[in-house]
Amino acid sequence: MGLRELWKRSDSPELGGPAIHIGSRHLRVGGGVCQTLAVIGYPREVSAGWAEPLLSYPGQLDIAFHLDPVPAPTAAVQLRRRRARLESAQRTDLVRGRVEDPHQTAAALDAAEIADRIATGQGRLFRVGVYITVHAPTLELLDGHLQQVRALCSSLLMDVTPTVFRTLQGWISTLPLGTDPVGTVRSMDTDAVAGMLPFSSPELVADLSETTVVYGTNTHSSGLVAWDRFCAGLDNHNSVILARSGAGKSYLAKLEVVRSLMVGVEVTVIDPEGEYTRLAEAVGGTVLRPGAAGQPGLNPFSLPAAAQDGQGFTHRALFLHTLIGAMVGDLSTTDRTVLDRAIVTAYAQAGITRDPATWDRPAPVLADLAAVVEELATAPDTEQDLAHAAQGLAGRLEPFAQGSHADLFTGPSTSVVGGHLTVVSLRELPDQVRPVGVLVALDAIWRHVTAGTEARPRIVVVDEAWLLLQDPAAARYLARLAKAGRKHWVGLTVITQDVGDVLGSELGKVVIANAATQVLLKQAPQTLDAVQAAFRLSEGEAHLVGTAPRGSALLVAGHQRVGFHPVASAEEHRLITSDPAELAAMRAQKHSGPQDHGHCTDGSEGGEVA
């Protein structure tokens, strides 16, 4: 019995399954008809994502890429023979006085370039076969789809031919079996293969590098949206993520953190609600909890090494003025005079002066500063107006030095910002002192990224940034980081749900304006007009961000715009989800033991699970 008779009889009870009827040009299978096209010609030069239209074709297509690496010795022999034939043909044409063939000349140059790249280890040679199976319910519809696919391939400068009398082999070539019985292949190097695979969105054009991360899938096609915030073509490395509550902004931010860690980017997170602690613990990161009992602290009086900052003493004194102002409110000129004297005296009592040789000594703490202020208030040689100001300042410092808020500043610095992931969780801080804790955390992060200890890309993530922008001192620090971060290879990620407050603040507008990458998820109707004006969205783009499903986003980078939906693996999803139901199920499963309950998710947390 031949192969054709076997497949025709495959609807018998003994074999089971539907019959496959084989024709010379098409197959009847699964209640429909299909025909396979083999790609036999390719354009000479392409750009990234050039084959994307094939994936976005509205009909049903099965596209298979078969890549077979050629061993380097075999590739060298093949290329040498190919170059010999081409150069021999060129010499023959020259001797006979024929006009030079430009295609032949280009082929000879390409062969020489590929041979050099393979010899130096910069690439490899592959045998590549590409097959397209077009499906339709009837033969009439199939003919129409075939004409459209052929026209689409012609627009991409691809030559295709049907697998005539090899319809079964062509269909098998596009099944997920990894076999190529047709064998219509072309030789390509690594760059050509990478450019041919439609895995990137053509809407995004940038010089991608090793710090590129995948954000998700294109909402208008099946391509992947990959973006590199640190590429040379962008003005800065900053990013903003704006959305209404529950739109999936934290899910997307945590997904970017995970994938940035994979490519060697150092990440520091200011986490107001403690959402990132589980992720940090899972990947071996550091979690700092200012204000929590028994937790390590950050002493704002600590001085840097002289090699890092030759003006460290002056810079610390200026920051302490800002910090004390955030604690106790506005300071008058007399208050600042008292505070400056107290700062210098507190350092002097600890044996620290402007001499960098003394900066490695234990720094004073806030209680020491408060004690000096009280001494100034009662000292007989203090001017009357300064004594009165010192007395008032000492009373306002009391809650932070010895009162209910003293846990923030009771001891020396025992925490270090650094490592591959550092999360500063502010969940334990009361709302009254949270701006102060944020300011101390921002200062520690800024000192770390400007220390110059190691040149590497870094990301500073500030979640719920609208809380920080309400405090002028913290807002100024954010604006400073947004403006100067690029000089230190640092990208600031600002995440906020209160878009109106951000766009209504001058410093908030500075942060937004200095973000080369802008991600917009679903916006509230009340702020949609402000968002459209601030980001210069078209009517279609404004409608997209106003009606986007949960998790879908619009990435804006200058004139480049692309919609995408985050896609996370099952392991990534377990680390970044904040859905209370899923977290409760994971805790219950952990306590009950390693049992498989067939957990699945519909991506309700803002992304899909691959």
Side-chain angles (χ1 to χ4, degrees):
M1 182 184 298
L3 180 63
R4 183 182 299 273
E5 288 76 18
L6 176 63
W7 282 94
K8 281 187 176 181
R9 294 181 56 183
S10 63
D11 57 345
S12 63
E14 293 80 4
L15 294 177
I20 298 178
H21 298 277
I22 303 174
S24 60
R25 302 180 68 91
H26 65 271
L27 287 178
R28 289 189 177 271
V29 58
V33 292
C34 64
Q35 181 173 329
T36 301
L37 303 174
V39 181
I40 58 174
Y42 303 88
R44 183 173 183 268
E45 294 183 359
V46 297
S47 58
W50 69 278
E52 180 75 18
L54 285 175
L55 288 184
S56 58
Y57 180 74
Q60 182 182 356
L61 299 182
D62 293 334
I63 306 175
F65 296 84
H66 294 270
L67 308 179
D68 183 18
V70 180
T74 305
V77 172
Q78 292 180 353
L79 288 171
R80 185 165 57 250
R81 292 175 178 172
R82 177 66 172 167
R83 293 178 62 187
R85 287 196 297 268
L86 292 171
E87 292 176 4
S88 176
Q90 284 182 303
R91 294 192 186 98
T92 301
D93 292 342
L94 182 61
V95 170
R96 296 181 178 179
R98 297 175 181 174
V99 177
E100 182 180 10
D101 185 355
H103 297 286
Q104 193 177 73
T105 303
L109 294 175
D110 290 342
E113 181 180 356
I114 294 174
D116 292 339
R117 292 177 60 84
I118 293 177
T120 57
Q122 300 180 30
R124 296 189 61 181
L125 196 66
F126 297 85
R127 295 187 182 95
V128 181
V130 181
Y131 306 97
I132 306 171
T133 297
V134 185
H135 296 265
T138 63
L139 279 176
E140 292 77 10
L141 292 175
L142 179 63
D143 290 338
H145 283 300
L146 285 171
Q147 293 179 6
Q148 295 178 18
V149 172
R150 284 176 175 272
L152 177 60
C153 292
S154 296
S155 68
L156 299 175
L157 301 181
M158 297 171 59
D159 299 328
V160 295
T161 184
T163 55
V164 181
F165 296 109
R166 305 187 71 187
T167 53
L168 178 61
Q169 290 84 348
W171 178 65
I172 293 175
S173 296
T174 56
L175 294 178
L177 303 176
T179 60
D180 180 13
V182 177
T184 303
V185 297
R186 292 284 297 270
S187 295
M188 296 185 184
D189 66 340
T190 306
D191 290 345
V193 171
M196 182 181 63
L197 297 178
F199 284 167
S200 61
S201 294
E203 294 92 340
L204 295 179
V205 181
D207 299 327
L208 305 183
S209 66
E210 64 274 5
T211 53
T212 301
V213 298
V214 176
Y215 279 51
T217 57
N218 193 317
T219 54
H220 300 294
S221 69
S222 302
L224 297 182
V225 175
W227 187 243
D228 183 10
R229 292 170 50 178
F230 295 93
C231 69
L234 297 179
D235 296 335
N236 54 66
H237 314 313
N238 301 331
S239 171
V240 294
I241 301 177
L242 304 180
R244 64 184 301 175
S245 178
K249 58 186 181 302
S250 294
Y251 189 95
L252 173 61
K254 285 182 277 190
L255 183 63
E256 183 187 24
V257 167
V258 171
R259 293 178 176 170
S260 297
L261 293 173
M262 294 179 185
V263 296
V265 178
E266 180 185 304
V267 182
T268 305
V269 182
I270 294 182
D271 180 14
E273 302 298 334
E275 294 185 49
Y276 294 75
T277 55
R278 189 163 49 89
L279 169 61
E281 293 167 353
V283 301
T286 303
V287 179
L288 308 180
R289 296 181 173 90
Q295 294 295 319
L298 294 169
N299 184 13
F301 287 80
S302 297
L303 290 167
Q308 298 176 4
D309 186 1
Q311 297 294 323
F313 187 91
T314 302
H315 292 161
R316 280 298 85 201
L318 293 175
F319 171 72
L320 289 172
H321 276 271
T322 303
L323 180 64
I324 301 301
M327 288 180 179
V328 303
D330 294 335
L331 297 174
S332 65
T333 304
T334 307
D335 292 336
R336 292 186 179 278
T337 302
V338 172
L339 180 59
D340 193 67
R341 287 188 184 182
I343 291 172
V344 175
T345 304
Y347 274 114
Q349 291 178 353
I352 300 174
T353 64
R354 297 182 183 275
D355 184 4
T358 64
W359 294 358
D360 57 350
R361 297 174 181 173
V365 295
L366 185 62
D368 300 327
L369 178 66
V372 173
V373 173
E374 291 182 358
E375 291 178 2
L376 289 175
T378 58
D381 56 343
T382 304
E383 296 87 339
Q384 183 177 0
D385 56 339
L386 295 182
H388 180 71
Q391 185 176 3
L393 183 59
R396 288 188 285 173
L397 283 175
E398 178 71 19
F400 299 94
Q402 299 176 355
S404 58
H405 307 330
D407 288 341
L408 270 175
F409 312 103
T410 53
S413 285
T414 52
S415 300
V416 178
V417 175
H420 61 286
L421 175 61
T422 303
V423 174
V424 183
S425 176
L426 306 177
R427 184 176 182 179
E428 288 81 3
L429 283 178
D431 292 340
Q432 293 81 356
V433 296
R434 182 166 292 186
V436 178
V438 168
L439 197 58
V440 173
L442 283 173
D443 174 67
I445 293 170
W446 178 253
R447 293 169 65 183
H448 169 66
V449 300
T450 58
T453 54
E454 182 182 4
R456 61 182 301 184
R458 294 182 172 94
I459 291 178
V460 177
V461 180
V462 181
D463 206 342
E464 301 298 347
W466 64 275
L467 294 172
L468 277 67
L469 292 173
Q470 290 179 346
D471 181 72
R476 285 193 295 270
Y477 255 76
L478 272 186
R480 178 185 179 187
L481 186 56
K483 290 182 177 180
R486 179 181 176 85
K487 301 177 182 178
H488 304 281
W489 209 359
V490 176
L492 173 66
T493 300
V494 175
I495 309 166
T496 184
Q497 66 181 15
D498 205 330
V499 182
D501 285 352
V502 174
L503 297 179
S505 165
E506 290 300 325
L507 291 174
K509 292 179 180 179
V510 170
V511 173
I512 298 296
N514 283 276
T517 303
Q518 301 158 349
V519 181
L520 306 176
L521 291 90
K522 187 173 183 178
Q523 305 295 318
Q526 296 83 354
T527 61
L528 187 57
D529 291 340
V531 171
Q532 182 178 5
F535 296 94
R536 296 182 175 87
L537 303 181
S538 65
E539 292 296 331
E541 292 167 346
H543 178 75
L544 174 64
V545 299
T547 61
R550 189 177 190 184
S552 294
L554 176 68
L555 191 152
V556 179
H559 65 281
Q560 304 183 66
R561 315 289 172 99
V562 60
F564 71 94
H565 192 77
V567 177
S569 67
E571 184 62 28
E572 288 174 328
H573 181 78
R574 282 192 290 271
L575 293 178
I576 65 181
T577 182
S578 57
D579 189 331
E582 292 188 11
L583 295 178
M586 285 189 285
R587 285 193 294 267
Q589 183 177 359
K590 181 179 179 180
H591 292 310
S592 62
Q595 300 177 3
D596 185 7
H597 299 286
H599 170 74
C600 64
T601 180
D602 60 355
S604 60
E605 181 60 20
E608 294 179 354
V609 178

